[in-house]
Amino acid sequence: MTDKPLHWKRWIVLALTAVGVAITFSLGLWQLGRASEKTALQDARTAQSRKEMLDGRTLKGSSEDVLQRSELLYRRMVVTGRWLPNYTVYLDNRQMNAKPGFFVLTPLQIDGSGEVLVVQRGWAQRSFTDRTALPPVQTAEGLVQVQGHLAPWPSRLYDFGGAETGPIRQNLDLTAYRQETGLKVLEVTLLQSGESSEGLLREWPVVASGVEKHHGYAFQWFGLSGLIALLYVWFQIVQPRRQKRPV
């Protein structure tokens, strides 16, 4: 009768060990899956950027063409049009070469189609003495030709809520910007490339895929899974057998 409780305790320990090993091992596999997904996404972006350059007039503004525009993301593109400088926005707290400043965004009305495409023109350093001062940025008049990569709408940084107005903003909401300007702005942008000009730098940071992070997490989960199994073997099999050996 005295061995029966111990018998059930061993089964409980075995069950908990199996669950722990299964969960941690599956989490490791999930992290490897996430790494594979991000690797595939990065490869797709690289393949897109190597394709032939497109003419910006191919961008159609109808809602039915949203899918087509999404399929063109990261493609090289040359766009001819006219700047609309009155609607320029300076996204605050953006960094380039580890320095704080603004990403300068100006809508461009595409020649020949009339569609409006926001161009992420580059980065400008902010004033350290006057946070409301705008950096000196030159904007050409008349027809201009801009080259770059088609990119998603700018990512959001943390904000404190509420609608933002004025040229300096933390984020740029697409719906609010359309209502504010009255322009039919496309939901994609052009990340302008080329040498520094017009008071702007264009040394855009390479987007990290984060694959190394997922591999690190996977290693940790697999290591924990192995540790759980090892502890079970040591305390439930090896140690009891060593204790039963005759002295």
Side-chain angles (χ1 to χ4, degrees):
M1 296 295 292
T2 56
D3 291 339
K4 191 171 183 180
L6 292 177
H7 175 74
W8 282 106
K9 285 182 180 179
R10 289 169 182 166
W11 279 108
I12 292 174
V13 171
L14 177 60
L16 292 175
T17 301
V19 171
V21 170
I23 291 176
T24 52
F25 191 80
S26 63
L27 287 172
L29 291 177
W30 178 73
Q31 289 292 344
L32 289 181
R34 291 286 293 146
S36 297
E37 291 175 4
K38 290 193 174 182
T39 299
L41 179 60
Q42 189 66 35
D43 291 343
R45 289 179 178 179
T46 302
Q48 283 282 83
S49 65
R50 290 175 177 172
K51 293 181 180 179
E52 62 179 345
M53 185 173 292
L54 298 175
D55 190 323
R57 288 174 294 185
T58 60
L59 293 173
K60 306 298 181 181
S62 64
S63 57
E64 291 80 6
D65 295 312
V66 172
L67 178 60
Q68 180 187 20
R69 289 192 294 271
S70 67
E71 293 174 348
L72 296 178
L73 286 176
Y74 311 109
R75 288 288 298 271
R76 291 182 301 133
M77 184 168 289
V78 56
V79 185
T80 302
R82 290 177 170 83
W83 293 117
L84 303 176
N86 292 338
Y87 304 115
T88 296
V89 172
Y90 300 78
L91 292 185
D92 200 1
N93 295 314
R94 265 55 175 190
Q95 291 193 356
M96 189 167 287
N97 296 330
K99 295 181 180 179
F102 302 103
F103 282 174
V104 181
L105 279 61
T106 303
L108 183 74
Q109 189 166 39
I110 302 175
D111 184 52
S113 69
E115 307 298 346
V116 177
L117 177 67
V118 170
V119 180
Q120 300 189 53
R121 299 173 58 189
W123 176 91
Q125 189 168 346
R126 70 169 310 137
S127 170
F128 294 104
T129 57
D130 184 2
R131 294 186 62 85
T132 63
L134 299 177
V137 176
Q138 297 81 47
T139 303
E141 298 181 355
L143 280 178
V144 295
Q145 194 173 75
V146 185
Q147 293 187 17
H149 292 80
L150 204 63
W153 195 255
S155 59
R156 295 182 63 86
L157 297 183
Y158 178 79
D159 59 37
F160 298 98
E164 292 186 281
T165 58
I168 298 178
R169 310 185 189 189
Q170 182 81 351
N171 297 294
L172 185 60
D173 181 79
L174 174 59
T175 302
Y177 188 66
R178 284 172 172 172
Q179 294 175 349
E180 174 188 347
T181 61
L183 302 172
K184 295 182 179 179
V185 180
L186 298 177
E187 78 289 345
V188 292
T189 67
L190 186 74
L191 194 68
Q192 186 174 353
S193 59
E195 299 295 328
S196 302
S197 63
E198 303 171 315
L200 297 166
L201 294 178
R202 300 189 180 93
E203 299 174 11
W204 302 107
V206 177
V207 179
S209 63
V211 171
E212 297 82 4
K213 177 184 68 176
H214 290 291
H215 284 160
Y217 288 154
F219 177 80
Q220 293 176 10
W221 285 120
F222 288 141
L224 182 56
S225 179
L227 178 61
I228 293 173
L230 183 62
L231 290 175
Y232 174 83
V233 171
W234 177 258
F235 287 105
Q236 298 298 316
I237 299 176
V238 176
Q239 284 286 62
R241 290 184 178 179
R242 292 180 64 183
Q243 293 174 0
K244 291 180 180 181
R245 289 178 182 175
V247 180

